[in-house]
Amino acid sequence: MNDVLPDVVNVWQFLEQAAREVFAVYGFTEIRTPVLEKTELFCRSIGETTDIVEKEMYTFADKSGHSMTLRPEGTAPVMRSFIQNRLAARDPVTKLCYIGPMFRYERPQKGRYRQFHQIGAEAIGVEDPRIDAQILLMLHHFFTRIGISAVSLEINSLGCPVCRPDYRGQLIQYLEELLEPLCAECQRRYQTNPLRVLDCKVEACRLATADAPAMIDHLCGDCDQHFSQVRHYLDLLNVPYVVNARMVRGLDYYVRTTFELVTDQLGSQNAVAAGGRYDGLIESLGGPALPGIGFAIGLERLVLMLDKDADRTLLPELFIAALGSEAVEKAFVLMSKLQAQGVHAEMDFHGKSLKAQMRRADKLGAVHTLIIGDEELRSGQAQLKKMADGSQVSVHLDSLLKTLRPKI
Ligand code: HAM
């Protein structure tokens, strides 16, 4: 679990702001749910035999003995809230987004943490493949907006309760024939969760299953039609993608369209965002029979991909260096007034020499500096120095904001 320190928090804020701006254009509004839910919610939605539920949840009994879990993802809590608050009654289409911490007891490594943050979006109520394309367009738009292009969108279809059971049976049969080279984990799960074997990262498993049957070759007529329409609309909207027939998601609620946005910049944790359709989930949780589709972006992984020194850094507009107690007090009042007016201003609080104050102004990257000493107090005038080129203008201390405004 990580602290987000002041020197990178601007990158987080930039990403959060970009998501809010982009998602708003597509009609998504934010929902905030508790970080704690009943354990049962995740078992029923993500699936009992998934890695998340089997091994990765922070689960404990509260003081009344109820089993509670720190949310490992955002979709199930949002659906729980959607049902509980009867949001379906408000509009036939509900578009929700969220930003917040998730918790998984995973083996930590670069890009994989036990508390991590997701920016997610869920569109509920539409089965039409145009909404799948819209969701992917929005994801593409967001990545364009934040300036990350080193990602590739992989899509697949996982079929539905009509076509998947048959395919699943065929896959189990196929895997039974070649169990020996598979890793211990796959030998254990091929019966309970055979699709996951296709997604195993172990080289031996990948080689052994290279010719395994693929779900997209066994789709029923409706799923096949749906998937080809999704691709048609993505082409129409110029959203680049590749079909990855081996992609299987680690959560059981998915049907039909699934996708991952992958990068080769993060080592083995290559998915920066992922999602898909979950028609049937809301009904299985006791809600109305409504389809849904969404995604979640891993914020830590985005932060790793972004250059934290790029011009997103917010530098102080003004550093006020002051010498003498009267000047320090004047500087303090000036700085506070400017801050109240929305100007990022800084000063020294450690009684440092003028030279040391100027060094700090430099280190902070202040755009302007202002020096106030006895002479400036007497005349009410000071020199405002632009740090980039050293140019100076004389300013009235009492109308500093007016002078500074056009310069910012
Ligand atoms: P997920 O694939 O489990 O899907 O997670 C989505 C993204 O969260 C991943 O692609 C990754 O970027 C990030 N992530 C997951 N685990 C970690 C971790 N331990 N450390 C850092 N980042 C991580 C879901 O959670 C679904 N709820 C997505 C969804 C929304 N599907 C439909 N709607």
Side-chain angles (χ1 to χ4, degrees), residues 73-75 98 104 106 111-113 116 118 121-122 249 251 253-254 271-276 278 294-296 298 301:
E73 59 105 50
T75 309
Y98 49 91
R104 296 184 194 175
E106 296 201 73
R112 188 164 73 189
Y113 310 104
F116 60 97
Q118 286 186 343
E122 314 288 352
R249 305 275 301 118
L251 304 95
Y253 50 61
Y254 290 117
V272 284
Y278 43 81
F295 62 75
R301 294 187 188 177

Side-chain angles (χ1 to χ4, degrees), residues 52 56 72-76 79 98 102-104 106 109 111-118 120-122 249-251 253-254 259-261 269-278 293-301:
I52 297 178
E56 296 169 0
E73 59 105 50
T75 309
M79 296 311 133
Y98 49 91
M102 309 291 158
F103 305 84
R104 296 184 194 175
E106 296 201 73
Q109 63 182 85
R112 188 164 73 189
Y113 310 104
R114 290 181 173 176
Q115 173 176 308
F116 60 97
H117 295 75
Q118 286 186 343
E122 314 288 352
R249 305 275 301 118
L251 304 95
Y253 50 61
Y254 290 117
F259 52 87
E260 285 185 354
L261 209 55
Q269 302 311 307
N270 65 348
V272 284
R277 259 196 184 274
Y278 43 81
I293 179 167
F295 62 75
I297 304 166
L299 259 171
E300 280 77 2
R301 294 187 188 177

Side-chain angles (χ1 to χ4, degrees), residues 6 40 43 54 88 101 170 228 243-244 252 278 280 302 319 345 399 404:
E40 186 198 332
C43 299
E54 273 186 353
Q170 287 185 39
S228 73
V243 174
N244 175 359
D252 279 357
Y278 43 81
L302 287 192
F319 189 95
S399 58
L404 214 49

Side-chain angles (χ1 to χ4, degrees), residues 206-264:
R206 296 199 80 80
L207 284 174
T209 60
D211 299 324
M215 184 69 238
I216 45 168
D217 298 324
H218 294 80
L219 296 175
C220 61
D222 286 349
C223 286
D224 195 37
Q225 165 85 357
H226 194 273
F227 193 48
S228 73
Q229 286 289 300
V230 171
R231 283 175 292 165
H232 166 70
Y233 287 119
L234 288 176
D235 292 337
L236 205 62
L237 299 175
N238 277 325
V239 177
Y241 64 89
V242 289
V243 174
N244 175 359
R246 292 182 70 96
M247 192 215 322
V248 178
R249 305 275 301 118
L251 304 95
D252 279 357
Y253 50 61
Y254 290 117
V255 294
R256 293 192 168 173
T257 316
T258 48
F259 52 87
E260 285 185 354
L261 209 55
V262 296
T263 177
D264 54 16

Side-chain angles (χ1 to χ4, degrees), residues 110 148-151 262-270 301 304-306:
K110 182 181 169 196
I148 291 184
S149 54
V151 282
V262 296
T263 177
D264 54 16
Q265 296 189 351
L266 291 176
S268 61
Q269 302 311 307
N270 65 348
R301 294 187 188 177
L304 283 172
M305 287 182 78
L306 284 173

